[in-house]
Amino acid sequence: MQVVIDYLKANQDRFIAELSEYLRFPSVSAQSQHKPDMAACAEWLANHCRQIGLSAEVCPTDGHPIVVAKTPRAPKSGRPHFMVYGHYDVQPPEPLALWKTPPFEPVIKDGNIYARGSTDNKGQNLAHLKAVEACFKTGTPLPCDLTFVIEGEEEVGSASLDKFLKSHRKELQCQAVVISDTGMPGLKFPAMTYALRGLMALEIKLHGPSHDLHSGIFGGAVENPAMALCQLLGQLRNKNGRVTIPGFYDGIVPLTKLERRQSALYPLKDAALKKLLGAPALFGERGFTATEQRSARPTFEINGLTSGYQGEGGKTIVPSWASAKITCRLVPNQDPAHIRKVVCDHLKKICPPAVRLEIEAGHGAEAYLVSPESPNARAALRALKSAFGCEPILMREGGSIPIVNQFKKILGAESLLLGLGLPDDNAHSPNEKFNLECFAKGQCMSAHLWRELAGRQTTKQP
Ligand code: BES
Ligand code: MN
């Protein structure tokens, strides 16, 4: 193992240069103008996998391509097989004016690499590839077979990968899926995430007059859709931070005392969180700590709100329409389809007759919860400890990785969430970065992981 670790150490500068190349692709899955960049990024990634010594394919889909790369297989080896999942697509970089350096021109500063997609998720998936490279180039045999599945639609709901899993069920069957696409509280706090929140997305639009009107001539005699939207949305949460939609909380399993005690140990405390977020105060559902609120409680969020004149100066109009992009984060036992129904039913019920409500459904994903005590989970914790040199913590996280439920349902495989992102990485925000020490330690963790995981598998004979 020491030769692998030494190789990783000796090659960091090149790895960082390669990560920079990867980050230069503006692989924004949500924006159709970036379709060619998505394809180019997938090609680059597949080529990179081949250089490392993997066999790699760019698999076309109805949406963005999926890169599948495999370690050379010995015939009928009966060795354990693990999947490494990641994504090369990134969130839109907007608002561009808030970036200190351009989002797709990586810059290294104070031990961090700044670029859209650096922490989420290119830096994290490249760390796993580098560990495999180190094993190959030092002639260190891997104790298991690996398949890398790096998709291009994670940030838009993973629809194509869902189909791909169904049509490639057999070849993707594996003992577990390893994913570094979550976080850790700090460099001294490596972590394994055992729960993620789910998601339900929709967009609503309130239609008023058929065109924007002079607010002096007509205002007062016709409903203002922007005002109606504010009043509609304003009713959906009360002053205690509780969502008021009937049925929203039905069936949620309360946190156990043990879980609450565990989450209280999470090292990022309220004062530090407030500072990190730059908000005047923290706010959330009464009766829960901030850690619980952002990882184990459901939310109703407005992601974007649009209506009327947005340009320079003023414009006296009654806008013709107003719209909102909405997502709810969900916790275990909340079914996305059911939540969509209770939200839509309620909106229809309370929408005033002076505007017409249009609802467009978005993607949905269930929450994820896995035992942190399984043999695979324990093996992963040992690998974290070896790489970071301190005891890893267990945590729930509030983000979503929609496909993890499909790994379980379609492949029967649990996901091990071994995130390398830091709380101040600015994922989905301007000035996203990835800490280069997280990159390096992540590579070591991955190198240790295959031994720990494979060492304790009972190999199935073919
Ligand atoms: N890497 C995140 C998910 C994440 C981040 C989980 C931090 C836990 C902690 C992922 O790329 C992501 O952002 N997913 C989206 C999914 C959605 C767009 C379908 C999310 O959570 O908003
Ligand atoms: Mn991600």
Side-chain angles (χ1 to χ4, degrees), residues 22 32 46 63 69 105 122 132 161 169 205 221 246 370-371 390 416 458:
Y22 191 10
S32 47
E105 292 172 29
K122 290 170 176 172
V132 171
L161 182 56
R169 193 189 303 252
K205 192 164 180 181
V370 66
S371 165
C390 44
L416 297 167
T458 45

Side-chain angles (χ1 to χ4, degrees), residues 360-378:
E360 195 190 317
H363 43 68
E366 282 169 37
Y368 188 68
L369 184 65
V370 66
S371 165
E373 290 183 325
S374 70
N376 281 340
R378 287 177 201 274

Side-chain angles (χ1 to χ4, degrees), residues 143 375 378-380 382-383 386 448-457:
R378 287 177 201 274
R382 287 195 298 276
S386 305
H448 286 289
L449 185 62
W450 310 121
R451 302 230 151 172
E452 295 290 359
L453 278 173
R456 57 144 340 288
Q457 294 288 325

Side-chain angles (χ1 to χ4, degrees), residues 85 87 89 91 119-121 124 153-158 180-183 193 195-199 327 329 363-365 395-402 417 427-428:
Y85 165 80
H87 62 94
D89 66 323
Q91 286 272 330
T119 187
D120 190 6
N121 166 257
Q124 300 203 46
E153 295 180 9
E154 196 275 345
E155 302 290 5
V156 291
S158 301
S180 291
D181 191 22
T182 49
T193 293
L196 293 170
R197 286 193 289 190
L199 199 73
T327 51
R329 291 287 165 176
H363 43 68
M395 61 182 196
R396 291 174 78 131
E397 278 195 287
S400 310
I401 305 177
L417 301 166
H428 295 204

Side-chain angles (χ1 to χ4, degrees), residues 94-257:
E94 286 81 5
L96 293 173
L98 295 187
W99 283 81
K100 292 189 184 125
T101 55
F104 299 108
E105 292 172 29
V107 167
I108 292 151
K109 211 184 133 200
D110 304 331
N112 295 301
I113 184 161
Y114 286 84
R116 171 56 92 230
S118 52
T119 187
D120 190 6
N121 166 257
K122 290 170 176 172
Q124 300 203 46
N125 59 59
L126 194 64
H128 286 283
L129 285 168
K130 293 292 114 181
V132 171
E133 175 188 317
C135 291
F136 287 168
K137 303 287 166 175
T138 57
T140 310
L142 277 167
C144 54
D145 293 336
L146 297 179
T147 302
F148 285 82
V149 174
I150 304 182
E151 67 150 323
E153 295 180 9
E154 196 275 345
E155 302 290 5
V156 291
S158 301
S160 299
L161 182 56
D162 189 273
K163 281 194 197 160
F164 190 84
L165 295 181
K166 287 174 185 144
S167 55
H168 294 72
R169 193 189 303 252
K170 253 215 159 121
E171 68 170 280
L172 296 176
Q173 216 88 65
C174 57
Q175 268 76 31
V177 183
V178 169
I179 306 178
S180 291
D181 191 22
T182 49
M184 53 195 262
L187 271 163
K188 296 229 154 51
F189 298 95
M192 184 166 74
T193 293
Y194 67 94
L196 293 170
R197 286 193 289 190
L199 199 73
M200 189 283 292
L202 47 85
E203 201 162 334
I204 67 173
K205 192 164 180 181
L206 294 186
H207 297 271
S210 63
H211 50 281
D212 291 356
L213 303 174
H214 190 299
S215 65
I217 302 175
F218 299 109
V222 66
E223 178 56 297
N224 180 313
M227 181 60 91
L229 184 64
C230 293
Q231 290 182 330
L232 191 69
L233 295 174
Q235 290 172 57
L236 301 182
R237 204 186 67 189
N238 69 19
K239 64 178 194 319
N240 294 331
R242 288 278 292 187
V243 176
T244 54
I245 299 165
F248 188 79
Y249 293 99
D250 286 0
I252 295 176
V253 185
L255 288 170
T256 62
K257 279 202 179 120

Side-chain angles (χ1 to χ4, degrees), residues 14 24 32 72 87 133 155 163-164 183 194 260 274-275 303 323-324 335 345 365 390 402 416-418 420 431 447:
R14 175 170 54 85
R24 283 184 185 275
S32 47
H87 62 94
E133 175 188 317
E155 302 290 5
K163 281 194 197 160
F164 190 84
Y194 67 94
R260 298 196 79 168
K274 176 174 168 290
K275 192 158 170 240
N303 309 129
S323 71
D335 171 38
D345 285 354
C390 44
L416 297 167
L417 301 166
L418 308 171
L420 304 171
N431 307 307

Side-chain angles (χ1 to χ4, degrees), residues 20-28 34 36-45 88 90 103-104 106 116 122:
S20 301
E21 271 183 48
Y22 191 10
L23 289 169
R24 283 184 185 275
F25 294 94
S27 47
V28 184
H34 287 299
D37 301 312
M38 294 295 296
C41 187
E43 283 300 338
W44 179 90
L45 185 58
Y88 67 86
V90 305
F104 299 108
R116 171 56 92 230
K122 290 170 176 172

